[in-house]
Each structure stands twice: as C-alpha cells, then as structure tokens.
C-alpha cells in the first residue's frame, strides 16, 4: 500500500471515529498508533533477502470499543503491517469480540470473550503489535517468534478472563480455546516455498495463572499451551498430508522498582511432526528458550534496555550437530539455535511520541524462516546483527 | 559583643527559616479522591482504590458503573496519586491501562486536561471518580470527597 494513501486513509478514519465518539460520549472509545522505522538485518533474511537497510518497519492501527451496558461490550482492532519477511504485509483484524461480564463482586470479576481475541497468556502477547507498549522494537524471538505472529497473537473462539483478590494478593486466571486462520503465504514462510497445500490450526488451548503479592512490586505467571496443526497436500506439492502437535509450558515474571525493571520469560515446547515429509515420518523434539531483560529508567522519558535471549531448537541437540548430520550436512549446525543479545534506548520526547533505537547481536539461525526447509543460501552466516530505529506516535 | 550579636542574628535567621519551611510544609497540597454525588461509598482504602484506578473493579457496591477520570501522567496530582494513595509507580499503572486498551481486555480511564476539567466531569458524570490536589487537612486519607449539587 502506498504510504501516502495509508496516511490519508488513517486521517479519514480518525476523523470519522472522532465524530462517532462525540455522538456516543463515554460509551464509545477509540485509540490509534502509527509508526515507521528503518531496519537492517545483515547476513540474514530476517527482514529482507537483500540484507540492506529497509523501510519495511511500518505499523499502523486503530482500535475501538463500545459499551452497550455495564455487562456487555464490543471491542476490535485493525492494523496494517509491513515487516518485510517477518510477517505477511497487509491489513488484518487483530481482535473483534463480544465481552460479556459473567461475575462481578467486591472480590471476583469474570468476563467471557467470544470472537477473535488476543493471546492474554504471555508477558507481551496481548500488546505485541502496539509499538509503544513493547520494551523494544524487536521482541525476543525465542518466545515472540515473528514468523508465527498471526497464529500466536490470538484465536477465534472463546476466552475466560477472571481475577480475584485475597490476603495473599491479586490473582488473574486466563483460559482460551480457539484457532487462528493461516494464509497460504504464512504456510509457505513456515514450511518452505514448495508447500502448496493447506495448513490449518485445528485448535489452540491455553491457560495461565498470575499471582501478584499485596506489595505489588512483582508478579509471576505459570502457563500452558496445547495446539494441533493439520496439513493437506496439494496436487503439485513437495509435502504430503501430515500434522503437528505442540505442547508448551511457560513461566514469566516481572519485578518493578522505581528506577528499573527486571523481567524474564522461559518456556519448554514439545513438537511432534507426523508424516508431512514422508509416510511414517515422525519427529519428536523439545525446544527450550527464554530471555532475561533489564530496563533502567534514566528519567520519566528515557529508558535503557539490555536483554539476553536464548533458543535451542532441540534440547538434546543444543549445538545442532545431530540435525546437521541428519540433513547430510546440508543444514549447518547453527540452524539448531538462536541466541540474541540486545541493547536499546527509547526517548519519549512528548507525551505521545517516541523514538527508539536498538542493536541486536545474534548467534545462530534457529528462528529464521522457513522452519521446515531452512534457507541455507541466504542465511549463510552463523553471526549476524539487527540495527533498528523507529519513530512512533499514539493517539 | 559585636560577635555575639552577629551569632544571635544568624540563629534568629535560622529559626525563621525553619518556621517558614514548616509553614510551607503545612500548606503543601495533597491529593484527594473525588466522586460524583450519586456515589454512596464514602470511604475506600488504598487496596480498594488501586482496584478502581487499575480498572479491576468497574462497578460500585450498589451496582452503579464506575467511570474513572485521570489527569495527565506528567501532572503532580497524578504522580502523588500513584505514590501516596495507590502505592504504585506511575509506569506500572500506565502499563496496565495500555494492556487494557490495546488488547481489548477492558477500558482505560478517561484522561482530562486540567483540575477544572476533572471537577466538571466528576460533577456531571454519575458514578464518576477522580482526584485533585487540595490543601484540605481535615479529610482522612481514606475519605472520598463527594462533589456536585445535592
């Protein structure tokens, strides 16, 4: 989409939403964001195959909610994204659901969400698409694998969001069951260009429990995910019918101090591929990953960030050498992991404008697409870097 | 003798400065929570206020919907509300509101530009709650100041 047409479209939309808000007063609420950046991933296809400096770091979105009565609300958000190879370029509806309050007392509150809702279970999953709510331009790829963004962002189905308080502190419980549509382009990004068939997520089932003690300085969450994918072979296809089962256990925690914040998120994920490559083929492996992140608030406007992110595709083959041998040396060992060190700086130069800049030093290519048939020609370096700069505005 | 007079003058000046600084402290404004006349709750502790301003509690005990108004994040009143009443860092509550607004999970509070706007909105919105800076010393920390016509 031409950037000028996009800006014109957003301006018209904002003007219409302002009129609607005037008509419905406080029951209708809307917000938006727009951002543009410069990004380069040298020696990898993370952003572009050509590896040069790119403008493909555009994120624009508008969300709105309308409350019909104290127990019923509708909320939705549409975004336009261009992230190069990171995800499919274009407009998508991130969420659109009915929010029904099923319990509300002094100690308990529970809501059901029906429709397309976001993933509420990971630390940044519910706002990963909103530039100014992220700690960095690029999120840690071990957990927030960009190629899987649209599948992991949310589901079409039903979610339960409940919270309560007692003498131990505050408790949040989130449960969801649904599935995400997967486009043909996404399927090819994940499985390789030769995948002409139909990839579907049959279901994603998630739950997590969050505890925040009365002091409020930290919270900790324990979560689970169970999901199944199905692949139907096309007439001309390099793959055959197959399926993948994914189980994940996750823990995340954040400690907040006046001038600094420490966060970590770790997971263990078992994936079983059946058939897909050849009849009777089975690959059962467990990947592990996570990150530790420290942010220092220099003042109200300037934040420094440092983070170490680690991902091993198979916990029994952390250096990737077994996989390299299985592929007859065709896939280098460094496709078996991806470790990433990040330094970042962000400056809120007004109350609704921010500039961020960051640099990532990466070892390995375990989180570069495609997954099943790695691009060993473009990603021919074990070490590579990401340089990113982003200007963002929210309203 | 001259030296003694000088020392006395310095002590007197010091005492005067201490007295003035005490007077300034006594007049320092504190943040008070204000609510619309329709709100029947008259006292809330820090935990209850934290639930309301973090949007975890969205209705009053009598079932009336709560509408939360807030001042800009960089205002003194907002900083004092977070620090003195909610016992939170301002960036913590900002993160909660962003999550609510941008995930669709809930609604963020409505931001008003000035204390005058705040008072006007609270007076005219049933179920509304907000805060302003005040020099009133006779209110308990947990008291809510009800404003608006009886």
């Amino acid at each position: 989409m031409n950037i000028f047409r996009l800006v014109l479209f957003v301006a018209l939309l904002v003007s219409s939403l302002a009129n609607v808000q005037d008509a419905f007063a406080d029951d209708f609420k809307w917000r938006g964001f727009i951002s543009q950046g410069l990004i380069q991933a040298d020696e990898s296809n993370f952003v572009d195959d050509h590896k040069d400096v790119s403008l493909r770091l555009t994120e624009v979105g508008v969300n709105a909610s309308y409350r019909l009565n104290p127990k019923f609300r509708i909320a939705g958000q549409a975004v336009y994204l261009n992230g190069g190879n990171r995800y499919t370029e274009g407009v998508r509806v991130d969420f659109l659901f009915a929010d029904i309050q099923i319990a509300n007392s002094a100690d308990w509150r529970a809501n059901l969400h029906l429709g397309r809702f976001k993933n509420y279970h990971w630390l940044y999953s519910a706002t990963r698409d909103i530039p100014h709510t992220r700690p960095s331009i690029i999120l840690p790829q071990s957990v927030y694998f960009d190629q899987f963004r649209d599948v992991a962002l949310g589901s079409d189905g039903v979610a339960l969001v409940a919270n309560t308080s007692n003498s131990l502190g505050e408790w949040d419980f989130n449960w969801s069951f649904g599935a995400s549509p997967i486009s043909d382009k996404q399927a090819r990004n994940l499985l390789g260009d030769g995948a002409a068939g139909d990839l579907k997520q049959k279901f994603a089932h998630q739950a997590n429990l969050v505890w925040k003690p009365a002091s409020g300085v930290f919270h900790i969450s324990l979560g689970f995910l169970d999901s199944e994918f199905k692949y139907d072979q096309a007439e001309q296809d390099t793959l055959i019918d197959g399926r993948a089962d994914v189980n994940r256990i996750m823990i995340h925690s954040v400690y907040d101090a006046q001038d600094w914040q420490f966060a970590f998120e770790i997971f263990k994920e078992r994936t079983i591929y059946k058939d897909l490559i050849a009849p009777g083929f089975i690959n059962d492996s467990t990947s592990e990953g996570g990150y530790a992140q420290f942010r220092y608030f220099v003042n109200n406007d300037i934040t420094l960030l440092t983070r170490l992110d680690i991902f091993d595709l198979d916990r029994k083959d952390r250096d990737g050498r077994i996989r390299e041998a299985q592929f007859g040396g065709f896939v280098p060992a460094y496709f078996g992991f991806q470790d990433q060190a990040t330094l970042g700086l962000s400056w809120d130069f007004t109350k609704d404008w921010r500039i961020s800049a960051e640099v990532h030093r990466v070892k390995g290519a375990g989180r570069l697409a495609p997954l099943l048939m790695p691009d060993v020609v473009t990603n021919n370096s074990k070490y590579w870097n990401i340089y990113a700069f982003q200007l963002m505005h929210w309203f | 003798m001259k030296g003694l007079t000088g020392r006395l003058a310095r002590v007197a000046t010091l005492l005067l400065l201490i007295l003035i600084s005490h007077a300034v402290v006594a007049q320092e404004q504190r943040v008070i929570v204000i609510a619309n006349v329709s709100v029947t709750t008259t006292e809330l502790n820090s935990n209850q206020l934290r639930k309301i301003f973090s949007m975890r509690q969205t209705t009053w005990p009598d079932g009336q919907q709560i509408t939360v108004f807030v001042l800009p994040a960089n205002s003194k009143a907002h900083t004092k509300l977070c620090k003195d009443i909610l016992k939170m860092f301002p960036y913590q509550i900002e993160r909660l509101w962003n999550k609510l607004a941008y995930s669709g999970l809930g609604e963020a509070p409505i931001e008003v530009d000035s204390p005058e706007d705040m008072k006007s909105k609270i007076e005219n919105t049933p179920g509304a709650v907000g805060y302003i800076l005040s020099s009133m010393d006779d209110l308990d920390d947990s008291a809510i100041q009800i404003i608006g016509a009886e």
Side-chain angles (χ1 to χ4, degrees), chain B residues 18-62:
Chain B
I18 290 169
L19 283 171
I20 289 169
S21 67
H22 270 85
V24 169
V25 169
Q27 283 180 356
E28 191 186 341
Q29 291 184 310
R30 64 194 185 99
V31 68
I32 59 163
V33 174
I34 56 176
N36 179 265
V37 69
S38 63
V39 174
T40 52
T41 304
T42 54
E43 282 201 0
L44 287 168
N45 63 31
S46 185
N47 277 343
Q48 291 166 315
L49 284 167
R50 194 158 57 212
K51 275 204 255 180
I52 289 173
F53 280 97
S54 59
M55 314 301 274
R56 288 172 77 91
Q57 182 182 334
T58 53
T59 52
W60 294 107
D62 62 5

Side-chain angles (χ1 to χ4, degrees), chain A residues 107-342:
Chain A
D107 295 325
W108 269 99
R109 192 165 162 240
N111 287 53
L112 267 185
H113 293 173
L114 300 174
R116 175 172 296 177
F117 47 81
K118 275 190 167 175
N119 174 354
Y120 306 133
H121 310 281
W122 312 351
L123 181 55
Y124 297 114
S125 59
T127 55
R128 67 183 290 179
D129 51 341
I130 318 297
H132 71 279
T133 68
R134 292 193 299 254
S136 52
I137 301 166
I138 306 290
L139 283 172
Q141 293 296 297
S142 65
V143 178
Y144 301 94
F145 180 31
D146 279 337
Q147 286 294 335
F148 226 59
R149 179 234 183 241
D150 287 345
V151 180
L153 185 76
S155 287
D156 297 345
V158 57
L160 172 73
V161 178
N163 57 61
T164 186
S165 308
N166 58 23
S167 58
L168 294 172
E170 293 176 357
W171 300 83
D172 290 348
F173 176 72
N174 305 306
W175 169 88
S176 63
F177 188 87
S180 293
I182 302 175
S183 69
D184 291 345
K185 192 172 178 191
Q186 263 185 292
R188 285 198 298 278
N189 281 348
L190 290 167
L191 301 175
D193 283 339
D198 190 21
L199 179 66
K200 276 190 181 142
Q201 184 180 44
K202 289 185 79 178
F203 68 85
H205 188 189
Q206 289 205 76
N208 76 309
L209 180 68
V210 186
W211 173 56
K212 185 192 276 187
S215 67
V217 293
F218 80 92
H219 72 255
I220 187 162
S221 163
L222 174 66
F224 303 93
L225 176 152
D226 180 24
S227 181
E228 188 180 314
F229 296 86
K230 185 170 177 281
Y231 183 79
D232 290 323
Q233 179 184 6
E235 279 186 23
Q236 300 287 322
D237 206 336
T238 55
L239 301 176
I240 61 167
D241 287 354
R243 55 182 277 189
D245 298 315
V246 181
N247 286 283
R248 186 189 264 214
I249 178 168
M250 300 160 284
I251 297 173
H252 74 248
S253 184
V254 178
Y255 184 92
D256 292 319
Q258 182 161 336
D259 299 327
W260 55 270
Q261 181 196 62
F262 177 75
F264 77 82
E265 194 159 15
I266 52 173
F267 74 92
K268 179 182 262 196
E269 182 175 276
R270 182 182 181 195
T271 306
I272 304 171
Y273 291 102
K274 286 180 183 160
D275 303 324
L276 201 60
I277 291 173
F281 170 81
I282 291 185
N283 182 297
D284 182 351
S285 65
T286 299
S287 54
E288 289 178 344
Y291 64 89
Q293 173 182 281
F294 180 80
R295 297 166 82 197
Y296 180 69
F297 309 117
V298 177
N299 54 40
N300 287 339
D301 305 322
I302 296 175
T303 303
L304 304 175
L305 171 141
T306 180
R307 180 172 64 220
L308 185 63
D309 181 31
I310 287 171
F311 173 72
D312 292 335
L313 192 60
D314 185 346
R315 63 190 295 269
K316 292 179 180 166
D317 181 28
R318 292 190 192 279
D319 61 7
R321 296 206 181 280
I322 298 173
R323 189 160 174 259
E324 182 180 33
Q326 283 170 346
F327 276 90
F330 174 71
V331 177
Y334 63 79
F335 278 86
F337 55 86
Q338 184 166 316
D339 301 337
Q340 196 156 339
T342 304

Side-chain angles (χ1 to χ4, degrees), chain B residues 63-117:
Chain B
Q64 183 176 209
Q65 191 175 338
I66 302 175
T67 303
V68 180
F69 290 95
V70 295
L71 287 162
N74 59 2
S75 66
K76 191 178 174 189
H78 182 75
T79 308
K80 284 181 87 68
L81 175 89
C82 293
K83 193 176 152 204
D84 299 346
I85 293 185
L86 306 182
K87 316 290 184 201
M88 297 175 82
F89 304 120
Y91 76 86
Q92 284 181 300
I93 202 152
E94 190 76 25
R95 185 178 65 206
L96 285 174
W97 293 342
N98 274 333
K99 184 173 178 181
L100 291 175
Y102 290 106
S103 65
L105 262 173
E107 294 165 359
I110 301 165
E111 187 176 309
V112 292
D113 294 331
S114 66
E116 292 71 31
D117 285 348

